[in-house]
Amino acid sequence: QRSDKLISGMAQLQQSDLAVLEESELITGILGKIPKLPVSTSALVNKLMDSRASTKEVVELVKMDPSLTAEVLKTINSSRYRFDNKISDVNHAVVMLGYDGVYQMVMAEGIRKSLPATDAFTEMYDRSLALSNIAFAVSQATGIGRPAEMATIGLLHDLGMVVIELLKSNNPTMTVLIDLLNHGDMGALLLRSWGIPEIICNTIADQNRPHFCPPAYLEDNVRESVTILYLSGLIFDVMQGRYYGDLQTLFADEYLAFMKWQDKSMNEIGFEVVAPLLKKRRDLLPPLLREIVA
């Protein structure tokens, strides 16, 4: 009972009043200055969340937008990918990458354009890109969640840091107070202002809860997605060579059990379960992750 009360108390301490934050002129002013996702990218996210949407419909959405089509072709023919022959149309791109691959590409480019061009945000983007691919593979391996949706959440999960850093740069005398803000909550506010589906926003808002509470304390509608995002972060850290004992793993065993991985170590999950799936999509991986699974 004492443990339950402690966990509940921690949850309340971490829970921001998003309605109050949303009405703050300081925060809404910053949210309005961050470049929004391209309209076509937002439409693609909403189409992904519609369980009735077919792959054909989504591909047609890409093909109907000339700027989106140009972006796909520009990106797929860049040095980031390693295709021997030039890809000249979206249909060919879909054949080469599949819908999920094209979708991830479009999302990644949309997010990149929304971030300030600094070393710190480039590093954040690279990590988000790696987590996106790992979350996709975890969802595939377990059959839990929707891989493309989890890839999207991985890409978007750290955007709250953009809000916090802009708040600090515009209000240097308030840095100590701004550092107390939860970047998950800030990310959720930003994504809601962009019209991103609520399930994604709620997952982003709750992403830090696994650090101080087990899965049972998460809302039913985000338990799977928050779990995958949390474990994907641990998997990435371990695959990079970080010592598992140094990571935030207070309730990690409970989250592993939720995924039916209670008999596996994080190293086994990373290199024996996730890495083989990543290798199958090696041409789509960011350089940081491609080196790890080589």
Side-chain angles (χ1 to χ4, degrees), residues 123-173:
E123 184 178 338
M124 187 197 81
Y125 172 74
D126 288 343
R127 178 178 172 82
S128 294
L129 205 54
L131 249 67
S132 174
N133 281 277
I134 291 173
F136 185 95
V138 169
S139 182
Q140 270 189 323
T142 59
I144 296 174
R146 299 170 64 191
E149 181 181 315
M150 287 311 311
T152 299
I153 290 170
L155 269 174
L156 300 173
H157 82 283
D158 256 354
L159 282 180
M161 298 303 299
V162 179
V163 182
I164 289 174
E165 289 306 314
L166 287 176
L167 279 169
K168 285 161 63 174
S169 65
N170 284 10
N171 306 275
T173 61

Side-chain angles (χ1 to χ4, degrees), residues 186-208:
M186 293 298 100
L189 287 178
L190 176 62
L191 295 173
R192 285 195 181 107
S193 74
W194 288 355
I196 298 299
E198 198 65 14
I199 183 64
I200 295 179
C201 298
N202 289 340
T203 299
I204 301 300
D206 285 351
Q207 64 178 292
N208 294 317

Side-chain angles (χ1 to χ4, degrees), residues 101-119:
V102 171
Y103 172 81
Q104 282 180 267
M105 179 189 297
V106 171
M107 281 301 304
E109 286 302 302
I111 295 301
R112 185 182 61 80
K113 290 178 178 178
S114 297
L115 295 177
T118 67
D119 291 343

